[in-house]
Amino acid sequence: MKASDLFIKALENEGVEYIFGLPGEENLDFLESLRKSEKIELILTRHEQGAGFMAATYGRLTGKPGVCLSTLGPGATNLVTPAAYAQLGAMPLVIITGQKPIKKSKQGKFQIIDVVKMMHPLTKYTKQVTHSSHIPSMVREAFRLAQEERPGAVHIELPEDIAAEDVENPRIFEVVDFKIPNAGKDAIQQAADLIKKAGRPLLLIGAGANRKRASMALTAFVDSIGIPFFNTQMGKGIIDERHPLYLGTAALSNYDFLHEAIDESDLIINVGHDTIEKPPFFMHIEDKRKVIHLNFFPAEIDEVYFPQLNVIGDIANSVLELTDSLKPYSNSWNTDFFLNIKSSVSTRLAKYGNDNRFPVLPQRAVKIVRDILPDDGIVTLDNGMYKIWFARNYPAYVQNSLLLDNALATMGAGLPSAMMAKKMNPEKKVISINGDGGFMMNSQELETAIRMQLDLVVIILNDHAYGMIQWKQQDLGFEKYGLDYGNPDFVKYAESFGAQGYRPTSVEEFQKVLGEALSSKGVQLIDLAVDYSLNHEILNVLIKKYSSEPKKTTP
């Protein structure tokens, strides 16, 4: 069998449905073998970043590795950011890159860099195929490692001459599943004892709990035991945020309204969060509050995170066992204090939600999107100022219904992630929210979305600046400098690709246009002017006021 055919057979054996990529000359044998596959579809993108972000999002949504493809040199370097995105975000991703012939080359060092070494700090596994007979075992090992907790990125480099070789007696390795061990009984008992002794326990839900079984187990835990919960940005929707014991999302690391509750807790049961995602709270050596780290892997000790107990094993099983241990003590904690804080936080967050000034306030835009989308509608966010507002103000009712990145937090991933979400969920309404800066980083993928015949709504929050950095600049007392730019006419830009463009001039018109766009076929782009002028007042002045107030004490 030809080596490239064997590679495709190995990918088919792993259940690969799609390969996202931008092939080059060194991939042509692989591409010909892929053409003959009846199981794998190639989705051609306009930039390697688009391919990598789509593949990573496939991994995030399915738990199975997404696969992306590029050529050597500049193609491979363009996949560095998606590799880091998947690695930090715990998204299973397999990266395949081409390379010049390694046994004989007539082009010297043209386009050649050490891609394997480049990928080493960004991946869990990176290797060059030096003999075609190694392909099946390398593919199997790469997929195993990509999926293994903590999931992440892996990389295989396939040189042009190896891809063209013939393989004698090819063998495909069976995919052998494995079960994550359960936490030890002693650890479960120690956790249960700490929770029983606590006066004001809180449950924190992080991205690692974004597994179907874990979501069900956590919902049962909260329903049965009655402990209030909050989540990280990447933990949104794991439990329906309409739950009466939901306190809110930690959109900032400290001094947010929600931290009034966090600071008054004496125990945090941290399920699925690790320090790679921006911390939802800081630990201090003088704290009396204790933290239980419940995850697939032990806590990495950091100056701001040093839990007193590790409960390591399958998250869903650990939560179920804790639920059984605590059932006799269910609802024995007085939650009135936390629910009063929730009421106060909700009142503060609701301010400006119905303010119809234009350009639109981010709080108003968030409310309009939530009001118009069905419960299972999906919003994907790029990275910018609006991410804080969506994390705080947008209640997620369903798992994976608000997709954002708070690990690498790169710009440019929002549109490709929305395209993948729509491809995987054609029956659901999907909105891609982008700042004007982030949108322009991968706006070329509009053509890919149109070619894929996706029904997708893209909203550009347009402020002609890198708004989040301007907010930080203002907070530090610096003059506005170096962060403003001009934009193209986004309506004409969308139309040039074959999409429909809109530019509402009032909040009422935005509501009407968004409803029309969601019910229309094809790609719909809305250029929405946004007003971030209240950022400083709300996110800095009020937060600093709260942080300077004397701590409240629990009766």
Side-chain angles (χ1 to χ4, degrees), residues 4 31 96 204 484:
S4 57
L31 194 64
I96 301 168
L204 165 63
D484 294 304

Side-chain angles (χ1 to χ4, degrees), residues 241-271:
E241 292 172 14
R242 291 170 293 192
H243 198 288
L245 292 177
Y246 169 67
L247 300 183
T249 298
L252 302 172
S253 295
N254 57 2
Y255 300 147
D256 201 353
F257 302 134
L258 180 62
H259 288 92
E260 190 172 354
I262 297 170
D263 291 346
E264 288 296 319
S265 66
D266 59 356
L267 176 70
I268 292 181
I269 310 152
N270 181 354
V271 179

Side-chain angles (χ1 to χ4, degrees), residues 44-104:
L44 181 70
T45 60
R46 303 304 299 269
H47 192 284
E48 291 86 356
Q49 271 197 13
F53 291 142
M54 289 184 74
T57 304
Y58 175 93
R60 179 181 190 172
L61 294 176
T62 66
K64 302 187 298 182
V67 181
C68 59
L69 173 72
S70 84
T71 188
L72 80 170
T77 59
N78 281 341
L79 287 174
V80 162
T81 301
Y85 174 78
Q87 184 74 350
L88 293 188
M91 307 173 199
L93 172 68
V94 174
I95 299 167
I96 301 168
T97 61
Q99 187 54 273
K100 296 291 184 188
I102 56 174
K103 297 180 180 178
K104 183 185 293 185

